[in-house]
Amino acid sequence: SRLKDGLSKTKKGITDRVDQLLKSYVKIDEELFEDLEEILITSDVGVNTTMDIVEQLKDRVKSKKITDAIHVRDELKEILSDMLGDEQSNLNIEPSPAIILVVGVNGVGKTTTIGKMANRFKKEGKNVLLAAGDTFRAAAIDQLEVWADRVGVDIIKHSEGSDPGAVIFDAIAAAKSRKADVLICDTAGRLHNKKNLMNELGKVFKIVDREYPQASKEVLLVVDATTGQNAISQAKVFKEAANITGIVLTKLDGTAKGGVVLAVKSELNVPVKLIGVGEQMEDLQDFNSKDFVKALFG
Ligand code: GDP
């Protein structure tokens, strides 16, 4: 499956190493747990989350009197499963109309994610409109337009350097008059500092609340899985600056360190709603924790 293919590097980075480790052990001792810790930490699971996982594992091994290293695998799988929690958090885009604000720093895959979402919604028969709210870079506007053409949806844009709030205002007016089901808005991907970010996003959010209160609203933060713990710190800044309702983790196909999914889940308390597992239109999936663990551990 696409998910399994997309996670093949992470499977090598985590599961295959865990399996190798468990195969080579004859008894369960402190050294085994330390080696497990090492695998998880180097897979970007994060130090705190790793400690938590290994502590749980030790407790289970003790209370269940597990003596066979291979059974440790089942316990680990279950702990990860529990940690990832609810199977799936759906996008809040029903009932229509809906507005999705997409935030995140440049290069993480924001434009691509917007294009992929637009494609998906259009295929579902929805009337989709895009807004080029990142007016700070001409390239951002152009790239979004390329995706709009590719998918075959309309885009509202102003020229480079214009007020992002004005773009969103116009886009909402257009969404109303064209009866769009979903309006997907790009936003500026600059991250000078938190205050700046809050100001920029704050203006846009105010316009949305004032002009489109009837819309179902989703605020998606896009982060790049290949940047590991950096993605976590970025997410923390954005979380303080805006009311993030979901996370999109892109480029999972490009990293062996997909353990970052666990760190996001346990350190941010915002659901991962979508994952990117490739550059093509179809490479955007709902994040489903059961499927995720299954793709890794079978
Ligand atoms: P933006 O600056 O945040 O809008 O980033 P872009 O959408 O332009 O994406 C930056 C690069 O990442 C492009 O080359 C995309 O093709 C690539 N990209 C985005 N999402 C994914 C993904 O899920 N997997 C892979 N492998 N590449 C991706």
Side-chain angles (χ1 to χ4, degrees):
S1 68
R2 274 198 125 80
L3 179 65
K4 232 175 158 174
D5 293 345
L7 292 177
S8 63
K9 286 187 184 164
T10 292
K11 188 171 178 298
K12 281 203 185 82
I14 303 182
T15 325
D16 292 358
R17 282 167 70 204
V18 167
D19 286 342
Q20 200 65 35
L21 174 69
L22 293 176
K23 225 187 267 171
S24 65
Y25 267 80
V26 279
K27 69 176 187 2
I28 302 163
D29 55 10
E30 194 55 34
E31 208 183 321
L32 173 73
F33 290 117
E34 273 170 27
D35 288 347
L36 260 177
E37 243 169 57
E38 157 95 21
I39 292 172
L40 295 176
I41 287 173
T42 55
S43 305
D44 273 334
V45 171
V47 175
N48 294 337
T49 313
T50 296
M51 295 306 172
D52 187 12
I53 292 167
V54 173
E55 275 315 305
Q56 285 189 49
L57 190 61
K58 282 181 186 171
D59 287 349
R60 282 175 182 230
V61 164
K62 206 169 152 198
S63 67
K64 294 190 180 178
K65 299 190 171 62
I66 293 170
T67 52
D68 179 353
I70 292 305
H71 282 116
V72 174
R73 188 187 199 274
D74 299 333
E75 297 300 326
L76 179 64
K77 182 181 165 186
E78 218 174 275
I79 290 167
L80 299 185
S81 233
D82 290 350
M83 195 163 250
L84 287 171
D86 296 341
E87 267 184 54
Q88 200 169 303
S89 301
N90 292 319
L91 291 175
N92 181 37
I93 56 165
E94 303 290 346
S96 69
I99 182 164
I100 303 177
L101 293 155
V102 184
V103 304
V105 304
N106 296 331
V108 292
K110 233 167 1 121
T111 313
T112 309
T113 300
I114 292 171
K116 287 170 175 174
M117 281 196 286
N119 178 59
R120 176 203 282 201
F121 298 148
K122 196 186 171 205
K123 278 203 170 138
E124 290 170 0
K126 293 188 166 80
N127 182 4
V128 183
L129 186 64
L130 305 186
D134 182 356
T135 59
F136 291 95
R137 295 179 310 149
I141 303 171
D142 294 345
Q143 269 172 25
L144 196 65
E145 196 160 30
V146 168
W147 271 102
D149 289 345
R150 198 181 290 165
V151 176
V153 296
D154 288 342
I155 177 171
I156 304 299
K157 56 166 192 166
H158 289 189
S159 54
E160 182 190 0
S162 57
D163 175 18
V167 178
I168 302 303
F169 185 93
D170 282 357
I172 291 172
K176 286 177 185 167
S177 70
R178 300 177 196 191
K179 303 205 184 331
D181 297 304
V182 192
L183 168 63
I184 313 176
C185 307
D186 192 10
T187 63
R190 303 189 305 171
L191 184 59
H192 308 311
N193 58 58
K194 198 170 79 195
K195 191 155 171 277
N196 217 294
L197 185 71
M198 278 169 127
N199 284 339
E200 277 176 14
L201 292 178
K203 277 185 216 156
V204 167
F205 284 43
K206 215 178 257 170
I207 288 166
V208 172
D209 289 341
R210 195 182 64 215
E211 301 299 324
Y212 218 12
Q214 69 272 41
S216 302
K217 194 169 117 187
E218 181 77 47
V219 183
L220 289 179
L221 170 66
V222 182
V223 291
D224 177 344
T226 64
T227 64
Q229 293 304 304
N230 209 350
I232 304 291
S233 30
Q234 258 173 35
K236 283 182 177 160
V237 176
F238 273 93
K239 209 188 145 187
E240 284 173 38
N243 190 11
I244 306 296
T245 57
I247 288 181
V248 183
L249 204 53
T250 61
K251 311 187 197 180
L252 264 174
D253 55 306
T255 180
K257 301 182 173 190
V260 70
V261 172
L262 288 149
V264 168
K265 192 81 186 184
S266 71
E267 288 190 39
L268 295 172
N269 202 26
V270 179
V272 176
K273 293 199 170 172
L274 298 166
I275 53 174
V277 290
E279 293 185 283
Q280 304 307 313
M281 281 206 214
E282 303 75 25
D283 295 327
L284 183 74
Q285 305 208 339
D286 288 324
F287 176 71
N288 178 298
S289 50
K290 276 225 168 66
D291 291 346
F292 183 82
V293 175
K294 202 164 169 224
L296 293 183
F297 285 90

